[in-house]
Amino acid sequence: MIKLLQYRAALLAILFGVFGGALSQLLAIEEMTLYYTALAGIIGLVVNLLVSFLLKGRWNLKMKNTIKLVCVGMFVALIITLFMHTMFFLNGTFPYRDFEDNFTYHIKGDEYTAVAKNFMEENPHIVSDEDLIREGFGSPSEKGKVWTQASINRSWLKLLSSYSLLVIFFVGLISVLLEILMGKYEKSTSKSIEKIPTKKLKKAIPSPHIKS
């Protein structure tokens, strides 16, 4: 356990990679996969180093109680941010299935262009954004003709901001817990070693002069 905690940087890197990859697949947005992966690594490293720096101090009862409140607060914030990111995903993306039957999500806006409004008026049978893109504009690459660029940018900003907060709270919570565990196990191990009598330690350690 101690060795695992000592290599927490590698452990956190793996966790962030899995976390970022898992979220990018769970809420798979075609244009944001690279952003998700890059942000998870960068934010994870910065927050981990910051937490390690802030916790390298003297521990007392007040500090312990403060850390407990911080952990609870970050967990609650993590759940709320996950809800917000999911809501932004549902409201700010549209599904699209191509001719090879590949299903992906793409960012959309919340304000239609005049061209898109006219097309929907002329084709009242269109009931979804996927149908609008497919029948009226051909592919998701033409989405700039369906929604205004300003509204698309707003959706980008919401998704990136909520994802960044999600990573920050996740990384912060895991980093604090690992720092606490590492300190606890180091202290308990050193105390257990100190309690062993010197004579027993000498007996346990074979003499270099004794040949096996």
Side-chain angles (χ1 to χ4, degrees):
M1 183 66 179
I2 300 174
K3 290 183 178 180
L4 180 62
L5 292 173
Q6 286 176 341
Y7 293 100
R8 67 186 184 281
L11 176 61
L12 285 170
I14 295 173
L15 286 175
F16 304 151
V18 173
F19 176 71
L23 186 58
S24 65
Q25 293 301 319
L26 181 62
L27 305 178
I29 304 175
E30 185 68 19
E31 299 98 328
M32 299 188 71
T33 303
L34 294 177
Y35 283 90
Y36 279 171
T37 305
L39 280 175
I42 295 172
I43 296 175
L45 176 61
V46 173
V47 174
N48 180 35
L49 293 176
L50 180 61
V51 169
S52 297
F53 172 74
L54 293 176
L55 293 182
K56 296 298 183 183
R58 187 174 180 180
W59 284 84
N60 49 41
L61 182 59
K62 183 178 179 181
M63 182 68 171
K64 290 180 181 179
N65 292 333
T66 302
I67 292 299
K68 290 179 182 179
L69 292 176
V70 169
C71 288
V72 172
M74 284 194 294
F75 178 75
V76 173
L78 178 65
I79 299 301
I80 294 174
T81 308
L82 179 60
F83 172 79
M84 290 176 56
H85 185 71
T86 304
M87 183 178 65
F88 291 153
F89 170 80
L90 294 175
N91 295 331
T93 64
F94 66 93
Y96 185 81
R97 189 184 299 275
D98 60 21
F99 297 105
E100 297 179 356
D101 206 32
N102 295 320
F103 192 78
T104 55
Y105 284 90
H106 301 264
I107 297 177
K108 68 175 184 179
D110 56 6
E111 183 181 349
Y112 291 107
T113 62
V115 177
K117 290 178 181 178
N118 292 334
F119 185 82
M120 287 188 290
E121 290 177 359
E122 296 173 358
N123 299 273
H125 64 280
I126 293 179
V127 294
S128 67
D129 292 324
E130 182 181 7
D131 293 338
L132 176 61
I133 289 290
R134 187 185 304 279
E135 297 185 22
F137 301 89
S139 71
S141 61
E142 302 295 329
K143 65 181 181 179
K145 299 178 181 178
V146 181
W147 296 278
T148 62
Q149 189 60 45
S151 65
I152 294 175
N153 292 341
R154 285 196 296 268
S155 296
W156 266 91
L157 183 60
K158 289 179 181 179
L159 288 166
L160 282 176
S161 300
S162 60
Y163 178 78
S164 298
L165 290 174
L166 195 60
V167 174
I168 288 172
F169 291 132
F170 174 80
V171 172
L173 182 59
I174 297 299
S175 298
V176 171
L177 293 176
L178 287 179
E179 285 288 341
I180 294 173
L181 286 174
M182 190 183 72
K184 179 180 178 181
Y185 276 93
E186 283 181 347
K187 291 179 181 179
S188 62
T189 304
S190 60
K191 288 181 179 179
S192 62
I193 293 176
E194 290 175 358
K195 289 180 180 179
I196 300 176
T198 307
K199 292 182 180 179
K200 290 185 178 181
L201 282 175
K202 290 181 179 179
K203 290 181 180 180
I205 301 174
S207 175
H209 300 289
I210 299 176
K211 295 182 178 180
S212 56

